[in-house]
Amino acid sequence: MRGYYTFFERALRAFNDHSTVSKLLVISSVSGGGLLAFSDANAFQSYAEGDGKKKKVVVLGTGWAGVSFLKNLKSSSYDVHIVSPRNYFAFTPLLPSVTNGTVEGRSIVEPIRNIAKKKPFGVEFKEAECYKIDPAQKKIYCRSTDQGNTLGGNEEFTMDYDVLIVAMGAKSNTFNTPGVEEHAHFLKEIEDAQNIRRSIIDCYERASLPSISEEERKRIMHFVVVGGGPTGVEYAAELHDFAHDDLAKLYPSIKDYLRITLLEAGDHILNMFDSRITKFATEKFVRDGIDVKTGSMVIKVSDKNISTKEIKTGQTVSIPYGMVLWSTGIATRPVIMDFIKQIGQGNRRVLATDEWLRVEGCDGVYALGDCATINQRKVMEDIAVIFSKADKNNSGTLDLKDFKDVVDHISERYPQVQIYMEKKKLKTFDALLKSAQGNDSKQIDIETFKNALHEVDSQMKNLPATAQVAAQQGEYLANCFNRMEQCEKYPEGPMRFRGIGRHRFHPFRYKHFGQFAPLGGEQTAAQLPGDWISVGYSTQWLWYAVYTSKLVSWRTRVLVVSDWLRRSIFGRDSSRI
């Protein structure tokens, strides 16, 4: 009898659903940079199974990866549910501009419901955070985010899934430095930027009080930035412009007390940029009066002082400050760390994936963005099976034409081969093999093949934890979902060297479009593909154009451009709001 009712219930659900729609749920953390997905073994086989069973796909994220996935998901075969502690997407590259009022916070955010309503399928939103993932039971545990508990406290609930996609990003890395969490500002969210803006005005207002001593006034007007990466450098530049272009006119009696110090533990700032940009930025900051201290490692932050250790001399220095921004990189969120341990990836800092963004050691799991890194497979691990694929006659030796059928597959499956060839200025794979022969013989054995490729794996590098990477990965995964059924029938990926047939999809390949470093005073540095370096006022206009085009909607584009025009005409607003 129970079997009959179970059959009846399934039939009724199938009738009510009409179709085998895959249910998609989106869940985010506060930062929103990385993306992680996982499913059961059959979740991606076919979305048109005739049993009426829904396939739930749970996506965690409204940051760069999550929103990129949502915007590029075009198939109407999904019923999408979004769960996030924030109901908007923030254009994080403009956060430093929010700290000084150049751009308003609301101008760089797009409500998720605005994005969702444009999709050809139904999308619902729940404001909550995921605090635990249970892969054994295929459940996520969530709690509502009632800010201030004004509505009676947080509500907790669970949600099951068939496929899970997580875009939880990362948090700021304090390196367990004492006092950072309690006394320093971070710059990861809209709220962070708005708090920094209020703190700047608070420092100016307090320093203007007549009862403040000379020594205390100097301390209050000292702004310290820890971290010489793009965020720290851009914030220091924005603060300098705000102070000299606007606040100096409003607070003339204390303008001479202003000090801005940039602390960097490395040998130079902007270490991911070309040395020409690093040199230009350092020289410009010196001209602007920004004190750049390299080789200074922060060891403690108190309410009024920062303790640093000079790496070269070992000397400890105490620096009084009024406000400090901490911008020294990212760290993994606790929920991701717990998940890493659950799936047996040990003590890794982030989730390890293959070239198709599948989490290693966990079937059907995908990870993207700041919470993951691609563990590119080494050529030397597969050297024997690659050779055997080319050696169709099992002769043990090959000539160059025998490699013709596998060359393109090798280059696609192992991108480090192409990078190595470009570095050695070898135009073809044949040239790479000939360089290892050392004689005029046309035959290549396994040892010669190993000798040709033994240095290739040294070219492998991890992708940077940037918005550009996360957005491309989100788009890649969405395109895979859009073409899932088609590629199931007609695989388009490279040859399976350790199996038969081809991989379903092409592996993910990141394409770098360049990077900017705004340096203040309407000057920006750009490092673009092809080793093209551009610095100065003209590059600032390129920065304006690129960032305007990358904003998520026409609404935000109009708002940001109008903010830039307002600032150029009326200056920046100094109200403490």
Side-chain angles (χ1 to χ4, degrees), residues 273 466 468 510-516 526-529 532 546:
F273 282 80
T466 63
Q468 195 173 162
Y510 169 63
K511 186 175 182 180
H512 185 60
F513 292 104
Q515 53 190 348
F516 290 97
Q527 183 173 338
L528 303 175
W532 184 47
V546 170

Side-chain angles (χ1 to χ4, degrees), residues 314-577:
Q315 181 182 3
T316 301
V317 180
S318 182
I319 304 173
Y321 74 90
M323 197 197 84
V324 58
L325 171 73
W326 189 273
S327 177
T328 60
I330 58 174
T332 308
R333 295 185 176 277
V335 62
I336 298 298
M337 291 299 297
D338 291 342
F339 185 68
I340 289 174
K341 294 176 181 178
Q342 285 187 66
I343 61 177
Q345 288 197 3
N347 296 319
R348 297 187 61 92
R349 291 177 55 250
V350 291
L351 285 159
T353 75
D354 64 10
E355 303 88 328
W356 288 268
L357 311 179
R358 300 173 299 198
V359 173
E360 294 181 347
C362 192
D363 292 337
V365 181
Y366 299 78
L368 299 80
D370 294 353
C371 69
T373 185
I374 296 176
N375 191 12
Q376 175 64 48
R377 190 167 183 83
K378 296 180 180 179
V379 174
M380 296 306 292
E381 293 178 351
D382 296 335
I383 196 76
V385 294
I386 295 173
F387 189 88
S388 65
K389 282 285 185 179
D391 187 12
K392 297 179 180 178
N393 298 324
N394 295 322
S395 63
T397 60
L398 302 169
D399 55 30
L400 295 179
K401 65 180 182 180
D402 290 327
F403 284 99
K404 184 180 297 185
D405 293 337
V406 298
V407 166
D408 291 339
H409 298 283
I410 293 173
S411 297
E412 183 176 11
R413 183 68 177 83
Y414 310 96
Q416 61 266 38
V417 173
Q418 191 64 35
I419 296 173
Y420 178 79
M421 289 170 57
E422 292 174 358
K423 183 178 179 180
K424 295 295 184 179
K425 298 181 179 179
L426 301 171
K427 294 183 178 180
T428 64
F429 194 78
D430 290 354
L432 175 63
L433 294 176
K434 287 179 180 179
S435 67
Q437 282 180 295
N439 53 52
D440 296 331
S441 174
K442 295 183 179 180
Q443 296 298 310
I444 299 172
D445 58 18
I446 184 65
E447 293 303 321
T448 304
F449 191 49
K450 289 180 179 179
N451 186 43
L453 299 176
H454 77 282
E455 293 183 354
V456 166
D457 291 327
S458 64
Q459 304 302 311
M460 296 190 302
K461 295 181 180 179
N462 290 332
L463 295 177
T466 63
Q468 195 173 162
V469 172
Q472 289 186 31
Q473 290 180 334
E475 181 180 1
Y476 167 83
L477 186 62
N479 289 334
C480 290
F481 273 59
N482 292 335
R483 296 178 293 109
M484 191 67 65
E485 188 173 346
Q486 173 188 345
C487 292
E488 184 72 29
K489 298 177 181 177
Y490 308 104
E492 63 183 21
M495 178 187 299
R496 294 180 183 270
F497 289 111
R498 289 187 173 273
I500 58 175
R502 302 174 64 138
H503 290 277
R504 185 183 307 175
F505 301 107
H506 295 292
F508 172 76
R509 292 291 175 259
Y510 169 63
K511 186 175 182 180
H512 185 60
F513 292 104
Q515 53 190 348
F516 290 97
L519 303 174
E522 293 295 310
Q523 295 190 64
T524 293
Q527 183 173 338
L528 303 175
D531 195 33
W532 184 47
I533 303 298
S534 177
V535 179
Y537 298 101
S538 60
T539 312
Q540 179 72 23
W541 287 100
L542 177 63
W543 180 85
Y544 283 138
V546 170
Y547 275 26
T548 301
S549 68
K550 293 297 181 182
L551 286 163
V552 74
S553 69
W554 280 105
R555 186 190 72 88
T556 53
R557 293 187 188 109
V558 171
L559 289 174
V560 168
V561 171
S562 64
D563 284 345
W564 287 335
L565 292 173
R566 172 188 52 76
R567 188 263 303 169
S568 65
I569 298 172
F570 302 107
R572 301 171 181 85
D573 183 16
S574 63
S575 302
R576 188 193 182 284
I577 300 176

Side-chain angles (χ1 to χ4, degrees), residues 89 97 252 267 281 368 493:
F89 164 77
S97 296
D267 295 332
L368 299 80

